[in-house]
Amino acid sequence: LAASSAESLAPSRRVAGCDGSVDQGAGLAKTYNPCLVCQDTVQPMTGICGWDKKPCAAPNALDDCGVCNGANQAYRGDPSGGLNLTAHLATRAASGICDYQGYKCGCSVAGLPIKAPLSAAQRAAQSCAPAGVGVCGTCVLLDSQWSQALAGQPSLTATSKSTGICDCSGNGVPNGGAVLDRCGICNGGNASMDYCGISANIPASVVCHTGATASSGSADWNKSCTGCDNVPRPDLPWFPSPVAVNDGMGVGGLRPDVCSVCGGDSSTCTGCDGVPSSGVEADACGVCGGPG
């Protein structure tokens, strides 16, 4: 046979792809992607790729936040405060998909919290929405691909007051420093909280007076811990009941004893039998309750 005839009768050269399929000669054998995963598309946090879908130079170089050779850094935002998108992207590159507390963001599906890590099955099936880290340092679910985490789309640049590293002022300023006082007022300095409020055991609902101050003459000012001597005593025990006492604001400060003595120990009306208000006295012979 001629050489050309022999070549035509030889079996086609076949190459096995990474998925085990066989190339029938059309160059269709499936190959590993840059993440060293046997699939066409590159996905973050798969194989040797990090949160930004870029492969690490060495295997097992990813930290928990999905950063190549990272140090599991929590998101800290713009170090100078405010909202500088360039600084935000720089710090997010170091923290990957870890929030301001250092927790790894994941997905929210079937009741799982947003910080739950993706399982291998979820990641493979893309059964849950991927998450990025917003400028407040909290996990933000993305509407489509993880690549959005590298862009400055609104879902990642929107702020929310008193959330993550965002303070209570305006719409929330990253690292702004403004804080809520005990009465829920931004930078209020507890001006609407009465003296009883220094006790953590007394709830804010009875020590905060919206719009009132110590000099405004509010009838409820210091009422929750003021006892029978009309002196506020936040250092003394406070009880939430009975509600009939102190107009439902609880019982605090000095209270009358069973002998009706303010702050007393019930000794002034205790009989010789040791029972308060029993009226039992010793007779002429010194016998408690004796016939004399």
Side-chain angles (χ1 to χ4, degrees), residues 83 134-136 140 153-160 166 171:
L83 181 54
V135 292
C136 287
V140 178
Q153 86 278 17
S155 63
L156 288 175
T157 58
T159 59
S160 179
C166 289
N171 293 322

Side-chain angles (χ1 to χ4, degrees), residues 7-167:
E7 290 177 358
S8 64
L9 294 176
S12 300
R13 185 177 183 182
R14 298 179 179 181
V15 179
C18 60
D19 59 351
S21 62
V22 178
D23 183 359
Q24 299 299 324
L28 300 178
K30 200 171 188 66
T31 59
Y32 289 99
N33 66 19
C35 299
L36 301 185
V37 177
C38 189
Q39 61 184 32
D40 296 329
T41 59
V42 173
Q43 298 292 338
M45 306 290 285
T46 58
I48 62 171
C49 284
W51 75 285
D52 54 2
K53 300 196 295 186
K54 296 179 181 179
C56 295
N60 303 318
L62 284 174
D63 68 1
D64 293 338
C65 303
V67 179
C68 292
N69 299 310
N72 294 320
Q73 296 183 33
Y75 176 80
R76 291 290 179 258
D78 180 357
S80 62
L83 181 54
N84 181 301
L85 188 57
T86 300
H88 161 67
L89 291 174
T91 56
R92 193 171 61 191
S95 62
I97 56 168
C98 282
D99 70 1
Y100 74 106
Q101 295 177 304
Y103 292 113
K104 176 183 175 182
C105 297
C107 60
S108 179
V109 65
L112 294 175
I114 191 173
K115 291 178 181 177
L118 274 68
S119 67
Q122 288 172 328
R123 189 181 298 118
Q126 291 292 290
S127 60
C128 55
V133 180
V135 292
C136 287
T138 55
C139 298
V140 178
L141 288 179
L142 304 180
D143 296 328
S144 55
Q145 298 299 315
W146 283 61
S147 59
Q148 291 188 27
L150 293 174
Q153 86 278 17
S155 63
L156 288 175
T157 58
T159 59
S160 179
K161 62 173 58 181
S162 299
T163 301
I165 63 171
C166 289
D167 69 7

Side-chain angles (χ1 to χ4, degrees), residues 269-283 287-290:
C269 65
T270 299
C272 62
D273 57 354
V275 179
S277 301
S278 68
V280 179
E281 299 177 349
D283 63 11
V287 178
C288 184

